[in-house]
Amino acid sequence: MNIGLIGSGGREHAICKKISESKLTKKIVCFPGNAGTSKLATNINIDFLNFKLLLKFIKRLKIDLVIVGPEEPLVKGLVDFLEKNKIKAFGPKKFASKLEGSKAFMKNLCKKNNIPTANYKVCKSIKQIHEFLKKNKFPIVVKADGLAAGKGVTICKKKSEVMSVSNEIFKGKFKSSKTIVLEEYLKGIEASYFLVVDKKSFKFFGTAQDHKRVKEGDKGLNTGGMGAYSPARIINKKVEKKILKKIVLPTLNYLKKRKKFYRGFLYVGLMIKNKEPYLIEYNVRMGDPECQAILPKLKTDIVKIFNSVVNDKLKNQKILWKNKKSMTIVLCSKGYPKNYKKNILIKNLENLNISNNDEIFHAGTKLIDKKLFSVGGRVLNFTSTGNNFKKIRERIIKLIKKLNWEFGFFRKDIGWKVIEKNENN
Ligand code: AMP
Ligand code: GLY
């Protein structure tokens, strides 16, 4: 099969690697991919949000199946567009993608179906903000309704903060929407649970814990994710049952009733409080860097999984995993998530002595005259698999230190809550 892959991050390099290992794969084309995927696939540097141009390439290159990595093309209806043009695509359609694309949609769906989530109010005016503040205690979480590239959530400790963040959103800080969702702050342990879903069934696709803050000890600004470990510490069989029964099934059934079937990866972002799961967010794709931590443990051919989903035959598809722990640490450009330099040479990567248990997934990288350059904030993902998180982390840090890229930085404490604090459940 010829497979097209949309996206350019570490998540897409990890997916590309798995696709390349499949016997079913003949050719992979990445739109646009990165330096890492260029070793496994043909990279085509076009704007994938230009659906018509993308379709031209897909047809010209005789692509049989398209895998969509990031959320934006899903929320904007890429899968609907490709299907109308008779191209098979893995990922949810526009309506189901509202689970991520509109927080108001997701919260209203929760309310209608008694799905446990933080108490909330959808606000379109300052008056509505005041109403919610009168009835709820601080901290209050202010969320932009639409996609906001990970920058749409602010936890506010006082009224003035809520007002200033809300005013910015009402004025159009995020192009996707001027609506706000205010939420009660949930205290508990965060964890992410992943599924792969088709019209008729769904299967477990791993758990992980991301680290969104830029500084050690979970301090500083929010980022796309500085590192993740898998499995997540809090999700045991009992909690998993509750996640499925109270959150996932009512959501998928709601969509089914409307004949708006979900197909693709589903990322369930949770807060676990007193062994009870609460839904914080849905994402309609794999997480980045969670994907880079989870995929190296997948034993089953990923192309078989993709095929079974687009043909609604997931029910009969076994998905097998290595019984291992894994971790990904993201090497970022100094200054990220604020300003950072681009086009900096990365020497030495080929000289790292990596073993079968290690992977280096590229994110913001580019090859120019066969030399590797950084072009993004998150540059490289170092993943290792093993039996002990502390040892895995030591191994990764050793590799990053050996690379010795002086323009980069990384968090040395990924997994600190399981390693240093021994919070296993
Ligand atoms: P989101 O973009 O919805 O994932 O939110 C980003 C982060 O904000 C989450 O990963 C949580 O750490 C935090 N967060 C979001 N909503 C809440 C909430 N209601 N209570 C506590 N923390 C929250
Ligand atoms: N790592 C968080 C996300 O992918 O949304």
Side-chain angles (χ1 to χ4, degrees):
M1 287 175 77
N2 296 332
I3 299 179
L5 175 59
I6 309 289
S8 63
R11 167 182 54 210
E12 285 74 27
H13 187 194
I15 295 173
C16 187
K17 171 94 194 293
K18 278 286 165 195
I19 295 173
S20 75
E21 289 166 5
S22 167
K23 285 197 190 96
L24 300 172
T25 303
K26 201 162 118 200
K27 181 169 81 181
I28 314 173
V29 182
C30 293
F31 301 97
N34 57 37
T37 66
S38 73
K39 303 242 161 112
L40 309 164
T42 305
N43 282 354
I44 302 219
N45 192 9
I46 58 161
D47 172 12
F48 54 67
L49 294 176
N50 184 343
F51 292 175
K52 282 192 179 152
L53 180 65
L54 179 66
L55 182 66
K56 266 192 194 163
F57 278 96
I58 288 170
K59 284 190 169 163
R60 196 181 298 162
L61 295 162
K62 299 197 167 34
I63 287 171
D64 304 298
L65 173 66
V66 175
I67 314 302
V68 188
E71 62 279 13
E72 199 179 358
L74 293 168
V75 170
K76 291 189 169 156
L78 178 56
V79 173
D80 312 56
F81 175 81
L82 291 176
E83 281 191 6
K84 263 188 208 136
N85 287 284
K86 310 263 180 302
I87 307 285
K88 288 208 159 163
F90 175 90
K93 289 193 190 175
K94 193 171 182 174
F95 186 89
S97 296
K98 284 202 283 187
L99 286 179
E100 175 167 4
S102 168
K103 295 206 188 282
F105 172 84
M106 182 280 262
K107 295 295 283 192
N108 290 337
L109 187 154
C110 286
K111 195 174 184 180
K112 277 183 214 151
N113 296 283
N114 290 319
I115 294 172
T117 188
N119 181 21
Y120 75 104
K121 185 175 178 74
V122 177
C123 301
K124 289 180 192 277
S125 69
I126 294 286
K127 190 173 156 243
Q128 288 172 312
I129 303 250
H130 283 299
E131 280 166 14
F132 187 81
L133 294 186
K134 257 188 231 156
K135 291 185 195 146
N136 290 276
K137 285 194 199 121
F138 285 92
I140 299 273
V141 188
V142 183
K143 297 187 173 183
D145 171 48
L147 289 186
K151 298 185 178 79
V153 175
T154 317
I155 295 163
C156 299
K157 293 206 178 84
K158 47 182 200 245
K159 190 172 172 180
S160 58
E161 231 181 311
V162 175
M163 298 323 284
S164 90
V165 175
S166 302
N167 272 320
E168 280 187 349
I169 299 174
F170 282 148
K171 275 190 206 149
K173 181 178 180 186
F174 302 106
K175 287 199 186 99
S176 51
S177 168
K178 288 183 181 173
T179 301
I180 290 173
V181 175
L182 291 188
E183 270 183 33
E184 137 201 45
Y185 179 80
L186 290 176
K187 235 179 152 182
I189 298 182
E190 257 188 283
S192 302
Y193 183 85
F194 296 87
L195 292 166
V196 59
V197 184
D198 76 358
K199 187 172 164 178
K200 296 176 190 153
S201 66
F202 58 82
K203 296 259 158 94
F204 174 75
F205 211 74
T207 65
Q209 175 58 59
D210 186 15
H211 297 62
K212 287 205 172 99
R213 304 291 199 93
V214 72
K215 288 192 185 153
E216 281 165 25
D218 294 333
K219 306 234 158 65
L221 294 173
N222 256 327
T223 69
M226 299 296 293
Y229 63 85
S230 169
R233 66 195 184 283
I234 186 86
I235 301 177
N236 54 37
K237 282 282 159 211
K238 258 192 178 165
V239 174
E240 180 175 19
K241 246 185 160 172
K242 289 183 191 169
I243 295 169
L244 296 178
K245 187 169 165 229
K246 297 186 174 186
I247 297 175
V248 173
L249 275 167
T251 302
L252 296 178
N253 286 338
Y254 174 87
L255 294 173
K256 261 186 205 168
K257 263 192 220 146
R258 274 148 199 82
K259 301 247 179 295
K260 304 285 187 191
F261 303 101
Y262 195 97
R263 285 190 195 87
F265 292 125
L266 182 62
Y267 171 141
V268 191
L270 300 155
M271 191 68 84
I272 318 280
K273 199 170 137 186
N274 302 327
K275 305 205 165 112
E276 287 296 325
Y278 293 81
L279 180 67
I280 290 196
E281 62 165 343
Y282 274 130
N283 293 319
V284 294
R285 48 165 175 91
M286 280 303 284
D288 182 337
E290 295 93 322
C291 184
Q292 295 89 300
I294 290 173
L295 277 193
K297 297 190 288 189
L298 177 65
K299 286 209 275 192
T300 305
D301 181 335
I302 202 165
V303 178
K304 282 191 183 163
I305 299 174
F306 290 146
N307 271 334
S308 69
V309 168
V310 296
N311 295 310
D312 291 319
K313 293 196 166 134
L314 182 62
K315 200 164 186 195
N316 302 322
Q317 176 65 52
K318 275 210 171 93
I319 302 184
L320 302 173
W321 299 92
K322 291 179 196 162
N323 186 15
K324 293 276 179 196
K325 292 180 171 147
S326 60
M327 184 180 290
T328 296
I329 301 182
V330 185
L331 179 61
C332 301
S333 300
K334 275 184 189 161
Y336 175 78
K338 287 195 170 164
N339 294 336
Y340 52 85
K341 285 188 188 153
K342 285 187 183 170
N343 298 312
I344 310 270
L345 184 67
I346 306 169
K347 290 186 277 189
N348 218 3
L349 194 65
E350 302 297 328
N351 302 329
L352 294 186
N353 212 350
I354 69 167
S355 76
N356 286 341
N357 295 326
D358 309 317
E359 302 262 15
I360 299 174
F361 297 121
H362 291 237
T365 62
K366 195 173 180 178
L367 281 177
I368 305 172
D369 293 333
K370 293 192 179 151
K371 287 195 180 127
L372 187 66
F373 289 86
S374 67
V375 288
R378 294 193 290 173
V379 180
L380 292 168
N381 301 264
F382 288 72
T383 297
S384 261
T385 309
N387 296 315
N388 174 295
F389 282 128
K390 189 161 186 261
K391 286 194 182 140
I392 296 171
R393 191 173 69 185
E394 281 165 7
R395 164 89 192 140
I396 297 175
I397 292 176
K398 205 168 132 190
L399 282 174
I400 300 181
K401 285 197 169 154
K402 216 165 155 202
L403 179 70
N404 195 21
W405 188 52
E406 58 182 311
F407 299 93
F409 77 99
F410 63 100
R411 272 183 63 170
K412 295 179 191 66
D413 71 336
I414 300 302
W416 64 285
K417 285 187 180 160
V418 261
I419 298 171
E420 276 82 22
K421 292 190 83 181
N422 210 11
E423 276 181 19
N424 284 314
N425 39 53

